[in-house]
Amino acid sequence: MDAKGSFGYADADFRDALQLLADSNVSEREWTELRPLSAGAEAFRELVSGRCPPGKILLQT
């Protein structure tokens, strides 16, 4: 997994979150969506307007 960037979290919080995912104690499936990088601007507009159910959109190159 190559994770880049995080906002508003301490390093320990980010490590704890990754460990929860690695241990299968939580799943990202219900609150994330994967889209191509080229769809980033539209994804941001959807998130800001409340038209996108997932709380987080991951952009893939």
Side-chain angles (χ1 to χ4, degrees):
M1 171 191 240
D2 184 20
K4 295 181 183 175
S6 184
F7 177 77
Y9 303 101
D11 289 344
D13 297 327
F14 194 67
R15 281 192 301 274
D16 290 346
L18 289 176
Q19 192 62 54
L20 286 169
L21 287 167
D23 293 342
S24 298
N25 289 324
V26 297
S27 171
E28 79 289 349
R29 290 185 185 102
E30 294 81 33
W31 53 273
T32 62
E33 185 177 305
L34 185 62
R35 295 189 189 184
L37 182 60
S38 61
E42 180 59 25
F44 185 75
R45 284 190 288 273
E46 289 178 27
L47 285 168
V48 170
S49 72
R51 294 179 294 149
C52 187
K56 189 168 293 256
I57 294 176
L58 307 171
L59 300 175
Q60 179 178 337
T61 57

